[in-house]
Amino acid sequence: MLKVDTSKISSQQIEAFQRDGVICVRNVLDNIWIKRMQTAVDKNVSVPGPLEVKGIPRAEGSVEHTSSLWLTDADFRALAFESPLAMLAALVLKSQKLNFLTDGFFVKKPKQNSRVGWHNDLPYWPIEGWQCCKIWLALDSVNQENGRLEYIKASHRWGKELREGANPSWFVEPEPHEILSWDMEPGDCLVHHFLTIHHSVTNISSTQRRAVVTNWVGDDVTYYHRPKAWPFIPLEEIDLPEFNSFKAKKPGDPIDCDMFPRVKYR
């Protein structure tokens, strides 16, 4: 059972998350964790992940991304179930119950067009509910030059879902809105609501930018079928034992299953 470390976050930050839809929490993980996860990302960056076709190297791109590594990689599993990240998520969500959805990493290569367009995360997940967040963990220094994230303040309160490249009539490039962004050091974390609209800028620097993400949900979240949502491939093509209980889910069911395990804490 994980013990909540309340020193990692203040009540003011929790309220800021509820109000603004995103916060930056400094020094969440120490150098031991950072070096461990840097090595884990570097090890997996050119290897197909658990939900990718085996035996086919991943196509190289300006942004390297893989998800669900906790299923096969001990370091990513430890990050989810042994690090302070679960504690941070539980506090921010003000939730009595916490489920882990999945992990992933993003590596932005230097001097490439690696911009990620405006979007929010909820339309990519088979869930419904309000208590949901992503923790974006910096493994390198992050700034404007190497691809930091930018958020539209309080856009989670709009109640709108936005996929990258969708260009709905209600969304206009956010000049009228206040933008939140932070320069970061390794071990700092962004925590954002699944409905907070954000993007990331191109890495024009000469160094790569690595980050690990973990996704968390709380008390009110249930299963909800969404087309073109995670895991992004037909369930019948997935031969992993953790998916057996997930495949039986019906809309409105509790999210608890082997694929979205419950994390115990106090």
Side-chain angles (χ1 to χ4, degrees), residues 41-208:
V41 168
D42 293 345
K43 178 179 65 176
N44 285 284
V45 74
S46 60
V47 179
L51 300 183
E52 297 177 68
V53 179
K54 302 297 185 291
I56 300 179
R58 186 185 304 116
E60 290 196 7
S62 57
V63 182
E64 298 283 2
H65 172 60
T66 299
S67 68
S68 306
L69 284 153
W70 72 276
L71 293 170
T72 55
D73 187 282
D75 295 317
F76 278 87
R77 186 175 183 86
L79 183 71
F81 298 106
E82 299 173 21
S83 81
L85 296 188
M87 311 171 194
L88 177 60
L91 287 168
V92 166
L93 294 177
K94 298 183 177 180
S95 183
Q96 298 299 311
K97 182 172 82 84
L98 185 70
N99 288 78
F100 173 65
L101 294 189
T102 198
D103 56 27
F105 65 72
F106 291 90
V107 177
K108 283 200 171 189
K109 295 183 177 181
K111 296 185 180 301
Q112 294 198 30
N113 182 18
S114 53
R115 179 181 182 270
V116 176
W118 291 102
H119 69 283
N120 53 21
D121 295 344
L122 187 60
Y124 300 97
W125 287 104
I127 65 166
E128 191 170 52
W130 180 253
Q131 289 169 292
C132 47
C133 72
K134 171 170 283 176
I135 299 179
W136 193 95
L137 166 67
L139 298 181
D140 299 297
S141 296
V142 178
N143 52 49
Q144 178 72 26
E145 286 69 36
N146 71 358
R148 73 182 181 190
L149 277 70
E150 298 179 339
Y151 296 86
I152 301 179
K153 183 178 180 180
S155 54
H156 65 312
R157 295 288 178 181
W158 299 354
K160 300 281 192 177
E161 297 184 14
L162 179 64
R163 287 179 177 263
E164 184 181 1
N167 298 317
S169 59
W170 60 265
F171 181 73
V172 180
E173 288 285 326
E175 286 82 357
H177 306 291
E178 183 176 350
I179 301 299
L180 299 176
S181 63
W182 292 266
D183 288 350
M184 303 168 69
E185 294 302 325
D188 295 345
C189 287
L190 297 170
V191 188
H192 71 248
H193 192 278
F194 275 11
L195 280 173
T196 307
I197 295 174
H198 58 285
H199 79 157
S200 65
V201 300
T202 292
N203 182 0
I204 62 173
S205 76
S206 59
T207 59
Q208 66 178 346

